[in-house]
Amino acid sequence: MGRRLIIDCDPGVDDAVMLLLACAARDALDIAGITTVAGNVGAALTARNACIVRGIAAREDIPVFAGCTRPLRRAPVEAGHFHGESGLGDLPISAPRHGPEPRHAVDFIVATLLAAAPASVTLVATGPLTNVATALAREPVIRRGLREIALMGGARSEGGNITASSEYNIHADPDAAQAVFGSGCTVVAFGLDATHQVRATPARVDAVRAVGSRAALAAAELLEFSNALPANGPRAQGAPLHDPCPIVWLLRPEAFRFRPCHVDVETASPLTLGHTAVEFRAAPQRPQNVLWAVAADGDAVFDVLTASLAQDSRRP
Ligand code: BDR
Ligand code: CA
């Protein structure tokens, strides 16, 4: 049996690549459910998109649960300019064969963690942290079932990608992010400092496409969509690959290097809202319960992506 997981996400082009990767890694990952949250696009679209991607991956055995439709205390900030109107770039969209389950994502997270053995479930979060913070606030005891929260979010030395100092997932719901970083759970954070080291260069995208499976062709198309966006920099350099990083870490931990730290999130200043204050200096009043990714091996990340997608032998 593989590592037990809940995946919380807001697909989103790079969330979709992350889901294709996680769904392909059948032997290593035991995905209890995919929960979705409003983020890159609205909540109805992120839930639909998760169902579409699960269908492409032929993993309709994994249930999808739609979650919070807006951040805890603020107006939604969407990022459709990075993900296309549908949220899935240029992928053809048709109604998924099976939609989300009737249960709310937060109810599913709470029930799954309450029933779990101590420290047995990894929660991977690649969108705004609204569902995760809501679940922790409703039943703080669910911390017991969590092995860790592995999240994509935040920025330190790289600066921001939505404002000068903030990364999108944290900026979109800074109150939720502060609650999660301060929850006492072990958090493994993949911010822009690491994900900007993982670039979808044309050669790497070609290698993904060359796998030839249905999932690999979809992943290559999604990567190509991001590469073509001027906001992601020159095509030859490749767009950064954010959301697959926590999943790759589960599959090949040595692809990343971390430093322990304490993280606080700015929730008051309009100028720096969602900034992650990453403190590496230990002090008694600051528990170092966050592992902050400082280095990523881009070749290793793409090796894992390509090798995992190659496990799917279905041709289109
Ligand atoms: C994060 O923001 C979203 O737009 C992406 O899906 C990713 O989770 C990168 O900052
Ligand atoms: Ca995302």
Side-chain angles (χ1 to χ4, degrees):
M1 215 24 155
R3 177 97 151 235
R4 185 94 171 137
L5 280 193
I6 296 172
I7 299 178
D8 187 73
C9 57
D10 64 332
V13 166
D14 57 332
D15 302 80
V17 177
M18 176 275 297
L19 288 174
L20 291 169
L21 164 64
C23 287
R26 291 172 184 265
D27 299 338
L29 305 178
D30 169 22
I31 306 170
I34 298 168
T35 55
T36 58
V37 65
N40 288 321
V41 287
L45 292 189
T46 59
R48 179 203 66 180
N49 291 350
C51 293
I52 290 175
V53 176
R54 153 187 89 162
I56 293 171
R59 292 299 308 271
E60 274 154 343
D61 55 304
I62 305 173
V64 170
F65 301 88
C68 298
T69 55
R70 49 178 300 123
L72 292 184
R73 292 198 261 285
R74 298 165 201 269
V77 182
E78 295 187 0
H81 48 294
F82 275 107
H83 300 271
E85 209 177 307
S86 72
L88 292 180
D90 289 332
L91 277 196
I93 302 295
S94 53
R97 254 184 337 150
H98 301 289
E101 305 295 313
R103 200 152 38 135
H104 193 281
V106 171
D107 296 333
F108 170 75
I109 293 171
V110 168
T112 305
L113 292 176
L114 283 179
S120 62
V121 178
T122 297
L123 178 48
V124 169
T126 64
L129 290 159
T130 323
N131 286 341
V132 182
T134 305
L136 283 164
R138 187 181 301 168
E139 280 291 355
V141 72
I142 62 173
R143 278 172 47 182
R144 261 211 320 255
L146 276 174
R147 179 165 169 174
E148 74 256 302
I149 299 172
L151 63 88
M152 190 283 134
R156 183 180 181 268
S157 39
E158 276 293 289
N161 65 355
I162 180 96
T163 69
S165 61
S166 67
E167 180 280 327
Y168 172 77
N169 287 339
I170 307 299
H171 179 81
D173 197 342
D175 309 290
Q178 174 63 9
V180 171
F181 280 114
S183 65
C185 299
T186 298
V187 175
V188 185
F190 299 81
L192 302 182
D193 301 359
T195 64
H196 279 193
Q197 297 176 34
V198 183
R199 297 275 169 177
T201 61
R204 288 168 174 169
V205 178
D206 287 348
V208 170
R209 188 180 300 104
V211 168
S213 65
R214 189 163 174 228
L217 293 176
E221 191 164 339
L222 291 159
L223 294 168
E224 201 53 65
F225 176 85
S226 294
N227 277 356
L229 292 176
N232 279 327
R235 194 172 169 277
Q237 181 192 27
L241 188 66
H242 305 291
D243 290 346
C245 286
I247 296 289
V248 171
W249 170 68
L250 295 171
L251 299 171
R252 196 181 293 179
E254 62 278 12
F256 298 91
R257 205 157 45 74
F258 298 91
R259 285 183 68 185
C261 65
H262 178 89
V263 175
D264 277 311
V265 177
E266 176 59 57
T267 56
S269 153
L271 181 62
T272 57
L273 190 69
H275 170 73
T276 38
V278 178
E279 175 58 274
F280 291 128
R281 296 169 303 162
Q285 71 279 15
R286 293 192 296 261
Q288 290 202 302
N289 54 358
V290 178
L291 285 175
W292 183 259
V294 290
D297 176 344
D299 283 335
V301 171
F302 270 85
D303 270 4
V304 170
L305 177 62
T306 308
S308 302
L309 291 171
Q311 289 174 29
D312 171 13
S313 56
R314 292 166 314 122
R315 294 293 177 267

